[in-house]
Amino acid sequence: MSSHSDPVTGCRIIAVANQKGGVGKTTTAVNLAVSLAMTGQRVLLVDLDPQCNASTGLGLNPAESGTSAYEVILEEAPLADAVVESRLAGLSVVPSSPDLSSADVELASHESPALKLKEAISGAMDLKRDLDWILVDCPPSLNLLTVNALAACHSVLVPLQCEYYALEGLSQLILTIRRVREQLNPGLRIEGVILTMVDRRNRLSQQVESDARENLGSLVYDTVIPRNVRLSEAPSFGLAIAEYDPRSSGHAAYRNFATEFLSTP
């Protein structure tokens, strides 16, 4: 287990973040969580995005879930009360709620509003003892929810789509990570960058991949996630790609990524 983990439980907490929408962030959070669970890892996926896509993408209905990430962030319920088991052994979820969209405003009157998730996770020692990983799917913006995730995590996994302006958006996220490190979480680091929506027949895609590897070096994983129709379809059926189409290139890519992710110190 990496040194970047909870010193008592060994659990590693990672935010999956990119303030740009449509970059494969939730797809990565869901399918990495599933792929890790399929290798025998014990994973909790926390859906901190008010769009609830990670929750619905795993077949959960946020309207029926009862306690959600919203109650946890607003200190109305402990983290353990919001945990729901998924269909897959080893994978549990803290579902989101559309109510999270107002959390920024509601947290403004709280003391230390950026530390609510950190406090909730810190208080869940029994839960963490049963986990290898906590993955937090962040909203597609650099708002207070994302800052809560960055303050609570050991590191940040950044999905980067191979499209125009991808690297410009990344510099804004890196700036936010730096600020969080200075003010809230000195140990925060970038876990790595996973290139998504890669189409190697496309010259622009090749150029973005080349620029990313040149600028970010070893931070960029060798594995890339291809542009894949089956990956896009899977969430509408409430299924991860491993369940929806295990023979697809999308599933093979996330399975390979999980292997590389686990082997990275």
Side-chain angles (χ1 to χ4, degrees):
M1 188 60 73
S2 162
S3 58
H4 299 276
S5 60
D6 186 287
V8 178
T9 64
C11 177
R12 282 177 70 180
I13 308 161
I14 296 181
V16 184
N18 188 324
Q19 77 276 15
K20 210 166 169 296
V23 301
K25 174 186 59 63
T26 296
T27 300
T28 294
V30 166
N31 291 296
L32 175 60
V34 167
S35 298
L36 289 172
M38 289 175 78
T39 67
Q41 299 286 304
R42 300 161 303 169
V43 185
L44 174 65
L45 178 60
V46 178
D47 186 356
L48 213 57
D49 185 345
Q51 295 176 76
C52 309
N53 291 340
S55 305
T56 57
L58 285 166
L60 301 174
N61 182 348
E64 296 172 358
S65 65
T67 308
S68 71
Y70 173 76
E71 284 79 20
V72 173
I73 283 280
L74 287 175
E75 300 179 294
E76 293 172 9
L79 186 69
D81 283 7
V83 175
V84 178
E85 296 303 319
S86 78
R87 290 184 301 267
L88 186 70
L91 175 61
S92 49
V93 184
V94 171
S96 181
S97 161
D99 293 338
L100 272 174
S101 56
S102 65
D104 270 32
V105 176
E106 294 181 59
L107 283 171
S109 60
H110 286 237
E111 195 179 327
S112 307
L115 296 175
K116 295 307 171 196
L117 184 62
K118 182 173 191 170
E119 289 164 3
I121 292 175
S122 297
M125 292 304 288
D126 289 349
L127 180 65
K128 284 192 290 184
R129 283 191 183 93
D130 290 333
L131 294 169
D132 299 303
W133 304 91
I134 297 175
L135 300 182
V136 184
D137 185 35
C138 297
S141 59
L142 296 176
N143 62 9
L144 190 51
L145 289 173
T146 299
V147 172
N148 260 274
L150 298 179
C153 291
H154 299 115
S155 56
V156 190
L157 173 64
V158 184
L160 187 74
Q161 86 284 22
C162 278
E163 290 173 1
Y164 206 52
Y165 292 138
L167 287 169
E168 281 88 336
L170 183 63
S171 59
Q172 198 181 344
L173 177 62
I174 289 171
L175 200 62
T176 302
I177 290 169
R178 194 173 296 150
R179 284 197 193 116
V180 170
R181 194 185 289 141
E182 287 166 3
Q183 297 169 18
L184 299 167
N185 184 359
L188 183 66
R189 65 188 183 100
I190 295 178
E191 184 73 23
V193 174
I194 176 72
L195 298 175
T196 61
M197 304 180 187
V198 174
D199 180 356
R200 284 187 166 146
R201 299 164 303 178
N202 177 316
R203 190 173 295 164
L204 175 61
S205 192
Q206 291 174 4
Q207 187 62 52
V208 173
E209 179 176 355
S210 169
D211 289 352
R213 293 192 186 282
E214 193 177 308
N215 286 298
L216 302 167
S218 61
L219 276 179
V220 183
Y221 290 98
D222 292 336
T223 308
V224 301
I225 308 301
R227 189 173 280 286
N228 177 241
V229 174
R230 306 299 275 170
L231 264 180
S232 315
E233 292 172 348
S236 61
F237 294 90
L239 297 170
I241 191 64
E243 302 169 285
Y244 182 63
D245 188 353
R247 292 169 302 183
S248 67
S249 62
H251 172 55
Y254 275 110
R255 191 181 59 221
N256 293 343
F257 175 43
T259 302
E260 183 179 358
F261 183 83
L262 285 171
S263 67
T264 306

